[in-house]
Amino acid sequence: MGEDSHSWTAAPAAAERARSVLAAAWSCSVTAEGTREELVGAHTVGEDGRVAVEVPEDSALLAAAICAPRGEPSAVLEFADVAPVPVRNRIRARLWLAGWFAVEGERLVFTPTRVVLRQPSGSVVVDLDEFAAALPDPLTTAEARLLTHLADCHADAVERLTRLVDSDSLHGAVRVQPLAVDRHGLTLRIERARAHGDVRLAFHAPADDVAQLTERMHILLGQASAASCPRALQRQRTDGDG
């Protein structure tokens, strides 16, 4: 069967977003038995969302895992989703996994019993079965490279895309940067002198790889080229250029 066009939305579901944060994170904070450790490049994620952690033999986490009753929540893992492009408030989301560690060979394997995703829109408890079954967004591992390239080399394209944004959202804008991209759309960060806001440009259909993303972006840019330049940015450009 072909892809059901009704099976996707203009934004990722909470479970998919949580798995994307987990897949992209290079580091995490682990709190267990009153100790807190920062781990960098030490974890891997299984297909079911369980997290395997490599720890040294003298790690307090190892001792805590050995002493804790098996299956009882005894640790919390925290992951931060950081925007790859420099903007204010670069933390786009935080993910907390509460659960327990088990010793498997020379590593610890963490099984979550509670998953909480916090985004600017609020916090949500993610269903465990949905979390285990969800897949990360297919653009997750390429997102940082794609966004930094867009910001560094195609600022004109980013400005053109603001033609698709409601003029009220652009009032007082001093800078617009690409904040996030996933298979469902592109999010722009609109910075003002003392505040900021985010707007989302949804794709007409989900993009499952970089080639499809390129096609979706070209369609958005075509729509933007056909739109009139926002008055807010026209005034800003005129004022700024003197």
Side-chain angles (χ1 to χ4, degrees), residues 156-171:
D156 56 331
V158 175
E159 180 176 329
R160 199 187 325 164
L161 287 171
T162 61
R163 299 181 185 183
L164 301 176
V165 177
D166 183 88
S167 59
D168 290 342
S169 299
L170 293 171
H171 183 71

Side-chain angles (χ1 to χ4, degrees), residues 23-189:
W26 177 244
S27 64
C28 70
S29 300
V30 184
T31 304
E33 298 297 318
T35 67
R36 182 179 176 91
E37 293 192 21
E38 302 290 334
L39 303 178
V40 178
H43 74 276
T44 56
V45 184
E47 290 185 359
D48 59 357
R50 294 199 306 161
V51 181
V53 179
E54 304 284 346
V55 294
E57 291 183 1
D58 60 352
S59 170
L61 293 179
L62 184 60
I66 293 173
C67 297
R70 183 176 176 84
E72 291 190 10
S74 58
V76 175
L77 275 60
E78 179 183 347
F79 301 86
D81 175 36
V82 183
V85 175
V87 292
R88 296 186 195 136
N89 297 357
R90 291 184 72 171
I91 303 295
R92 302 181 299 187
R94 291 188 185 275
L95 178 67
W96 286 276
L97 307 180
W100 52 277
F101 278 115
V103 181
E104 294 187 7
E106 298 181 353
R107 63 181 188 170
L108 297 177
V109 176
F110 182 83
T111 299
T113 56
R114 183 177 174 85
V115 178
V116 178
L117 175 69
R118 189 180 78 189
Q119 302 182 97
S121 57
S123 298
V124 60
V125 177
V126 181
D127 180 85
L128 290 176
D129 291 335
E130 293 179 3
F131 177 77
L135 295 174
D137 186 271
L139 301 176
T140 294
T141 56
E143 185 195 25
R145 172 175 55 83
L146 293 168
L147 289 181
T148 51
H149 178 75
L150 183 60
D152 294 343
C153 304
H154 299 285
D156 56 331
V158 175
E159 180 176 329
R160 199 187 325 164
L161 287 171
T162 61
R163 299 181 185 183
L164 301 176
V165 177
D166 183 88
S167 59
D168 290 342
S169 299
L170 293 171
H171 183 71
V174 296
R175 188 174 72 153
V176 179
Q177 291 277 53
L179 178 71
V181 69
D182 54 61
R183 68 194 299 255
H184 304 292
L186 173 72
T187 301
L188 300 178
R189 166 64 55 84

